Amino acid sequence: MQVTEHVHAIKIPFSLTSDSGMLIERFVYAYLIYGREVCLVDCGVASSEKIIFDYMKKTGRDPQEISLIVQTHSHADHIGATPVIKELTGCEVAAHSDALEWIEDPDVQFRERPIPNFDTLSGGPVKVDRVLEDGDVIDLGEGMAIRVIHTPGHSNGSISLVLSPDHVLFSGDSIPLPGDIPIYDNVAEVISSLRKLRETGGVKLLLSSWDDPVKGDDVYKAIDEGIDYVKRVHEAVLGFSSVSWEKVLEEIGLEGVPVNPLVVRTFEAHLKEDVDIS
Ligand SMILES: [Zn+2]
């Protein structure tokens, strides 16, 4: 669906299987920026190229016009289709320096962050051609540009992107979503990244990877709610981790949600550090 003059959002559904064999339906957004050429922000899980290419053809663009993929971070559900799209189009891949290793060597990613279904999400290794740092600006031509904001916490090399002139903020998985499972590795970083995003003025549309587009004043509300949610998780973990992870989940409004390795990793991050999140 077209969300601004230049940006199109593609919602990519996928399923995970829990340890108990339960099927979990999830989705991830990938975004197309249509200019003289086409820039993709993330590529979804492995095999998502079909849905992306079909969408492009339907909207009058040729997949061969993709010249750049910008990865918001290294996780398998965002880079799954990247190797195939790069291979088929000859495009460049850009990512933050701290995300390089996990993108170029998914085996390392899986070793350091073993998650269920990794093999079905990942599409294998892919070389990063353009290494990004905080403050970098990517010129897309025709007056369009992307500014890079390093927003670690969800993962080391997580970045958010501001597209001008559309006033769009692509936040990847950087903004925790109340009501969904919290997923991040570093509590202090996730909070400081959210505060950094809060200070990014003039955003009219928030395009997260795990939520539908958010407009206007609700953009900053969503960031504030993310901060409040991390604080709520912090209190729940400190208060109830000695009881059980199930009890912590219940305390943050996720009663009955199965405990999985991602949730445990997040909760343990709250215990690992002496975090001041006041
Ligand atoms: Zn992620």
Side-chain angles (χ1 to χ4, degrees):
M1 95 183 132
Q2 185 166 7
V3 289
T4 69
E5 184 186 349
H6 301 107
V7 182
H8 295 250
I10 302 182
K11 195 172 190 173
I12 300 170
F14 64 97
S15 346
L16 302 172
T17 317
S18 74
D19 289 345
S20 58
M22 200 166 94
L23 204 63
I24 304 161
E25 300 294 344
R26 287 194 71 87
F27 65 84
V28 63
Y29 271 103
Y31 297 99
L32 289 157
I33 304 172
Y34 284 177
R36 192 171 48 222
E37 294 169 324
V38 175
C39 171
L40 248 175
V41 176
D42 290 344
C43 290
V45 299
S47 303
S48 297
E49 68 277 3
K50 181 162 179 1
I51 187 168
I52 293 169
F53 289 176
D54 284 351
Y55 181 89
M56 288 184 71
K57 288 174 196 160
K58 236 174 24 196
T59 49
R61 302 295 299 237
D62 183 339
Q64 289 303 322
E65 292 178 86
I66 298 172
S67 59
L68 179 68
I69 298 167
V70 183
Q71 299 290 165
T72 62
H73 62 296
S74 56
H75 289 160
D77 52 331
H78 297 252
I79 64 164
T82 306
V84 171
I85 294 176
K86 183 177 181 180
E87 171 80 29
L88 293 175
T89 66
C91 70
E92 290 200 322
V93 176
H96 190 269
S97 53
D98 292 342
L100 286 202
E101 192 180 23
W102 281 14
I103 292 174
E104 295 189 338
D105 192 344
D107 290 343
V108 173
Q109 177 174 169
F110 183 68
R111 251 197 326 272
E112 296 178 359
R113 186 178 185 264
I115 61 158
N117 308 105
F118 186 85
D119 284 343
T120 58
L121 303 177
S122 169
V126 63
K127 171 108 181 60
V128 174
D129 308 287
R130 185 163 177 181
V131 180
L132 302 173
E133 303 293 348
D134 185 57
D136 282 358
V137 174
I138 303 168
D139 184 359
L140 298 180
E142 296 182 337
M144 283 193 285
I146 290 171
R147 183 163 55 86
V148 175
I149 308 173
H150 187 209
T151 48
H154 174 74
S155 71
N156 283 339
S158 284
I159 52 175
S160 300
L161 309 164
V162 177
L163 172 71
S164 56
D166 293 37
H167 303 285
V168 166
L169 174 64
F170 299 98
S171 58
D173 288 347
S174 296
I175 305 176
L177 193 63
D180 201 352
I181 54 169
I183 305 175
Y184 40 79
D185 285 348
N186 187 305
V187 182
E189 282 183 353
V190 85
I191 289 279
S192 66
S193 291
L194 288 166
R195 289 186 173 144
K196 204 166 162 184
L197 290 180
R198 192 74 183 74
E199 286 162 18
T200 307
V203 177
K204 291 183 180 163
L205 185 69
L206 173 66
L207 297 177
S208 151
S209 300
W210 53 22
D211 195 12
D212 295 332
V214 172
K215 282 185 199 159
D217 292 343
D218 287 343
V219 171
Y220 294 96
K221 206 171 128 206
I223 299 170
D224 288 340
E225 285 172 356
I227 296 172
D228 290 345
Y229 190 41
V230 176
K231 289 180 178 174
R232 188 173 169 198
V233 175
H234 195 64
E235 279 168 26
V237 171
L238 296 191
F240 297 97
S241 60
S242 57
V243 181
S244 68
W245 294 134
E246 284 82 359
K247 178 66 183 160
V248 177
L249 279 166
E250 189 187 319
E251 283 297 308
I252 59 170
L254 299 177
E255 190 174 1
V257 169
V259 175
N260 71 39
L262 289 176
V263 169
V264 173
R265 191 177 169 97
T266 304
F267 290 168
E268 285 176 343
H270 281 273
L271 293 172
K272 231 186 288 180
E273 311 160 40
D274 185 16
V275 195
D276 178 9
I277 56 166
S278 55

